[in-house]
Amino acid sequence: MKESKVSEKYTFIIIALTLISIISCIILKIFLFFGFLASIVIASCLLIKNGFSTTELLNMIKKGLCECKSLFILMALIGAMVSIWMASGVVPTMLYYGLKYMQGTNFLFATFVLTSIVSIFMGTAFGTISCVGIALLGLAKIFGIPNYILLGAIVSGAFIADKISPISSLFNLTLETLKISYKEALMSILKTLLPTYFVSGLLYYFIGKKYSIVIVNSNIDNFISTINRNFVVSPLLLLLPASIIIMSFLGVKMVKAVSLALIAGIIVSIGLQKANFNDIIVAIFNGYRINTNSVDLNTVLVSGGVVSMVSIILIITGAISLSSMFQETGLLVPIIKRITLRIKSHEELILKTGFISIALTAISDQSVGIILPGKLLRDKYRELGIDNTTLARTITDTGTVIAPLIPWNANSLFIFIITGIPTVSYAPYTVLCYVSPIITFIFAYLHKFKTGKQVKKVQVKNM
């Protein structure tokens, strides 16, 4: 990581103006891309004043965008895939079987468990939310469960992928940054993940008791009948989303897996559902709509297509450009060093690591929240005799999972574009994202208590 050439005064000015620009856009409901654009312009002017050239800054932005090109492709593919899964009958099939067999269950708790399992196999929160999340939200609308509450459970389960999935790009970035193996990291992370998962599941179980599904009425029967009249329903259609999970688990890159599933979905739409080819192309780019005698079904089966992803791709472009400048100029390095300079204890180091990772994720993105504390704090952990696996655990328990709670973060924006539900609505119910940092901080202080007891025992023995 490069040392910063920027004075401390200008560093604080850049960070302050960046946050003001972004938060102002959210409050005034201005397209967030303009907030990032203003931040980039302001930061560039101040960085040029501190010795950086325009060419250097443009190369930093170019490098960051090139490294994330697969993310942009994936966004567009997911926009297309959601439309095709509706046209091909995949989502209607999920709704059909969900309506028939999910009655009488604690739907909120079942959703959390299901999405957490799927996310580990898929290795991506984005894929999980757009894969099973859309269908689950459709069921929630029919069953009368508030969609923002259910989305909280979906997001909680989906972001377990970035904590422990062996095929998660973010988790592998953590492993690469800290030079540790998957097995080493997993054994450490499970110490906090298991209690986090248990507490989160318990909370969803008790919240979900209020929304247990016991519905037997003509509306549900009419809904099922409408699906049957308009689509060929078969459990074999569930092989499409299952294929993405299987391919991801086998190591196929997400872009390729989604592309293959998209092609298969187009074939199924035309061959099985007898959809018109021109209508399919329109659905891919402009989104899917259906007109049946069921208003509920018409409301559920709606997607935005590739076009709906343009706005989020622009925002992510702005976020990546800004975070690339922060990272490559070493802008945040002096601040992190000052915060960690006088740390003397295990629990203080973990607490500050967590806050640094959360702050960096909030200011820029998850990758910066992983790379900067990972590279800058390794020596400090070694100095205090703490294993790097604890550093990995702290980062994944804090900065990695906090992303969907930050309204201007790419994760939150993606969720909003896909579901239409703003961050402020679902965030209070994203239980795991709150419980995870709390548990890791508790563990740090339990270590202090345990160490204190061991020291006292040694002192007593030596007397």
Side-chain angles (χ1 to χ4, degrees):
M1 191 62 58
K2 294 178 182 178
E3 289 291 335
S4 177
K5 295 193 291 184
V6 185
S7 69
E8 196 169 283
K9 172 188 170 183
Y10 279 106
T11 296
F12 282 109
I13 290 173
I14 291 170
I15 293 170
L17 291 176
T18 294
L19 291 175
I20 289 169
S21 299
I22 293 169
I23 293 170
S24 295
C25 284
I26 294 169
I27 294 171
L28 299 173
K29 296 183 179 179
I30 299 170
F31 183 36
L32 195 53
F33 172 73
F34 295 120
F36 282 112
L37 185 61
S39 300
I40 291 166
V41 172
I42 292 166
S44 297
C45 292
L46 294 174
L47 288 168
I48 288 168
K49 198 169 182 178
N50 278 265
F52 289 94
S53 69
T54 304
T55 304
E56 282 180 306
L57 296 176
L58 288 173
N59 284 335
M60 291 174 193
I61 292 172
K62 181 182 175 182
K63 180 183 175 184
L65 293 175
C66 288
E67 287 174 353
C68 296
K69 62 184 178 182
S70 60
L71 175 62
F72 298 127
I73 296 169
L74 183 61
M75 291 289 182
L77 287 172
I78 286 175
M81 186 180 70
V82 172
S83 294
I84 290 302
W85 279 5
M86 290 181 180
S88 63
V90 171
V91 174
T93 295
M94 288 179 174
L95 294 173
Y96 177 85
Y97 289 112
L99 289 168
K100 290 194 75 171
Y101 301 114
M102 292 293 281
Q103 296 187 47
T105 65
N106 188 315
F107 194 63
L108 200 65
F109 175 74
T111 292
F112 172 64
V113 174
L114 175 62
T115 51
S116 63
I117 293 169
V118 170
S119 73
I120 292 170
F121 285 101
M122 289 195 74
T124 164
F126 286 174
T128 303
I129 293 166
S130 57
C131 175
V132 297
I134 297 299
L136 290 169
L137 285 169
L139 287 173
K141 192 176 291 186
I142 300 160
F143 288 137
I145 299 171
N147 57 4
Y148 53 89
I149 295 178
L150 190 76
L151 183 56
I154 292 169
V155 172
S156 283
F159 273 80
I160 286 178
D162 294 337
K163 283 173 67 66
I164 62 165
S165 174
I167 54 174
S168 164
S169 57
L170 279 174
F171 189 52
N172 279 291
L173 176 63
T174 306
L175 299 180
E176 179 62 29
T177 301
L178 298 174
K179 307 299 180 186
I180 54 176
S181 69
Y182 176 78
K183 183 179 178 181
E184 289 172 326
L186 181 64
M187 297 309 292
S188 178
I189 289 168
L190 286 176
K191 292 176 183 177
T192 52
L193 178 60
L194 292 177
T196 296
Y197 192 83
F198 176 77
V199 171
S200 301
L202 202 62
L203 288 169
Y204 282 126
Y205 177 79
F206 283 112
I207 297 170
K209 285 179 78 173
K210 182 181 177 182
Y211 302 106
S212 289
I213 306 159
V214 184
I215 302 175
V216 181
N217 59 40
S218 57
N219 288 337
I220 298 298
D221 292 336
N222 289 337
F223 196 96
I224 291 173
S225 298
T226 305
I227 292 174
N228 262 326
R229 283 196 300 272
N230 289 275
F231 296 94
V232 176
V233 175
S234 168
L236 292 176
L237 289 170
L238 300 179
L239 290 174
L240 277 175
S243 68
I244 294 183
I245 298 171
I246 293 166
M247 283 189 284
S248 299
F249 189 71
L250 292 175
V252 178
K253 290 187 176 180
M254 198 63 192
V255 169
K256 187 175 181 180
V258 173
S259 299
L260 291 172
L262 179 62
I263 294 167
I266 293 170
I267 294 169
V268 170
S269 299
I270 297 169
L272 185 65
Q273 305 297 349
K274 308 302 178 186
N276 183 281
F277 180 75
N278 290 335
D279 291 340
I280 292 298
I281 297 301
V282 170
I284 287 173
F285 289 99
N286 293 331
Y288 181 79
R289 304 286 186 279
I290 191 170
N291 185 21
T292 70
N293 60 2
S294 170
V295 177
D296 287 333
L297 187 61
N298 297 343
T299 305
V300 171
L301 296 182
V302 175
S303 69
V306 174
V307 171
S308 68
M309 290 295 180
V310 172
S311 58
I312 188 174
I313 288 172
L314 283 173
I315 294 168
I316 291 172
T317 299
I320 290 170
S321 300
L322 188 63
S323 65
S324 297
M325 288 170 62
F326 283 1
Q327 189 175 327
E328 292 297 316
T329 58
L331 187 75
L332 302 169
V333 172
I335 297 175
I336 295 174
K337 286 190 173 180
R338 172 182 274 198
I339 293 170
T340 59
L341 184 63
R342 296 179 183 175
I343 292 175
K344 299 296 180 184
S345 67
H346 177 283
E347 64 277 3
E348 186 185 1
L349 180 55
I350 288 179
L351 187 67
K352 288 190 175 180
T353 301
F355 282 126
I356 288 168
S357 186
I358 289 170
L360 291 172
T361 300
I363 293 170
S364 48
D365 63 11
Q366 286 164 298
S367 60
V368 177
I370 291 168
I371 294 169
L372 277 178
K375 288 187 175 180
L376 294 175
L377 297 178
R378 282 182 302 190
D379 291 341
K380 195 69 182 180
Y381 272 72
R382 194 178 298 115
E383 180 187 318
L384 294 179
I386 307 171
D387 198 272
N388 270 349
T389 56
T390 303
L391 175 54
R393 183 179 73 206
T394 306
I395 291 171
T396 59
D397 285 350
T398 54
T400 300
V401 298
I402 212 76
L405 305 180
I406 302 161
W408 58 85
N409 187 273
N411 294 271
S412 301
L413 294 167
F414 173 83
I415 293 166
F416 174 66
I417 294 294
I418 285 289
T419 66
I421 303 169
T423 309
V424 291
S425 297
Y426 72 77
Y429 301 94
T430 313
V431 174
L432 184 129
C433 298
Y434 297 106
V435 173
S436 183
I438 292 169
I439 293 288
T440 205
F441 294 150
I442 289 172
F443 259 69
Y445 279 91
L446 286 176
H447 178 273
K448 176 186 178 182
F449 179 71
K450 182 180 176 182
T451 305
K453 275 191 167 183
Q454 289 173 342
V455 169
K456 284 181 180 177
K457 283 182 181 179
V458 171
Q459 288 174 342
V460 169
K461 283 182 181 179
N462 291 337
M463 287 178 68

